[in-house]
Amino acid sequence: MKKNRIVIALGHDALGTTLPEQKVATGKTAKIIADLVERGYQIIVTHSNGPQVGMIHTAMAEFCRIYPEYTATPMSVCSAMSQGYIGYDLQNAIRTELLNRGIYKTVSTVLTQVTVDTYDEAFFAPSKIIGRVMSAEEAEAEEKKGNHVVKVEDGYRRIVAAPKPIDIVEIDAIRTLIDADQIVIACGGGGIPVLKQENKLKGASAVIEKDMAAGRLADLTDADTFMMLTGTEKVCIDFGTENEKPLSELRTAQALEYIEAGQFGVGTMLPKIESAIEFIGNSAIRSVIITKIEKALDAIENRTGTRIKK
């Protein structure tokens, strides 16, 4: 009998910000994932990396500033670094929790590249802020390198494109592992954005929206459920107002109407709803759950959270 397959997209609360916070947070997250494994679900994990990749980018930029003889670290390499060290903590925390429960199951992190379109409009209108605050002189130097910067309250910061994910390069490896009933961590931080150039893959100076990449991962692994764990227990309309209304169930047609009405915040809930709609498509079987990490088990058993269906 085929097991129910879940792609779990972990948000910031599941990982923390600093290295010590991440150690503690991944330990708590591992318990929730182990609860789902005990109930017979196949699990694919993906995750955010905002604070982590920002820390790496800032550290590497500062290193090159102090030691100019070293080459600057491309954004795609910073993304790869963040996948590796988040995956390292996650897979070990999950492995430990499973072994503590007498469950012997391999947990693997797949360093994942995600292809994007060279002509994606996002490359002509960069919007994702990254890295440290720079002075006017440093910002000018960045622009001379061909990078984009934006004025912020206390200086300047670099901005990069946020293109849409097209395909996952390592998808066959991910499918093989999950088909063997192993736990897979993949597409961390939206994946490493790459451009296809004949037989080569070239890292792109970009950040892929993690929820869109997670939805693509769920689609390409034929998941039954796509679960996004975020900072709110349920999706709300009129969020933050006296008329705020939490939603237990949401149909994709209704979600499209709410998008049209501007109900979901750009950069917060909107990409989650859009990736949910794209994942579900015309399927009457697939569903999406959005909730807080500590409510994951209750949500999968229909006791809370927002469940989105066709």
Side-chain angles (χ1 to χ4, degrees), residues 81-101:
M81 289 179 178
S82 75
Q83 278 194 25
Y85 104 78
I86 293 171
Y88 165 68
D89 276 348
L90 261 179
Q91 72 181 39
N92 282 337
I94 296 167
R95 176 182 179 274
T96 298
E97 185 61 32
L98 291 175
L99 288 174
N100 287 343
R101 302 185 189 199

Side-chain angles (χ1 to χ4, degrees), residues 12-27:
H12 169 70
D13 290 347
L15 299 174
T17 300
T18 64
L19 285 168
E21 282 181 8
Q22 183 170 297
K23 283 285 187 184
V24 173
T26 52

Side-chain angles (χ1 to χ4, degrees), residues 171-231:
I171 193 62
D172 287 341
I174 295 166
R175 285 177 181 144
T176 299
L177 291 169
I178 196 67
D179 286 346
D181 203 27
Q182 297 183 19
I183 296 169
V184 189
I185 302 164
C187 287
I192 304 163
V194 292
L195 302 165
K196 281 188 175 181
Q197 296 183 345
E198 296 181 345
N199 287 335
K200 295 181 180 179
L201 294 172
K202 178 179 173 57
S205 182
V207 175
I208 299 171
E209 170 54 59
K210 64 178 178 60
D211 294 318
M212 298 301 291
R216 193 79 183 108
L217 176 65
D219 179 38
L220 293 175
T221 54
D222 196 25
D224 301 283
T225 306
F226 173 26
M227 175 182 279
M228 288 177 269
L229 300 178
T230 184

Side-chain angles (χ1 to χ4, degrees), residues 11-14 228-234 239 269 272 290-294:
H12 169 70
D13 290 347
M228 288 177 269
L229 300 178
T230 184
T232 56
E233 187 169 340
K234 293 184 180 184
F239 183 73
M269 191 56 71
K272 290 177 173 55
I290 300 176
T291 194
K292 298 173 72 169
I293 184 164
E294 57 266 30

Side-chain angles (χ1 to χ4, degrees), residues 39 41 289 296-304 307:
R39 284 160 174 77
Y41 293 104
I289 296 170
L297 195 58
D298 286 336
I300 204 73
E301 294 174 353
N302 286 310
R303 292 195 293 269
T304 191
R307 189 174 288 264

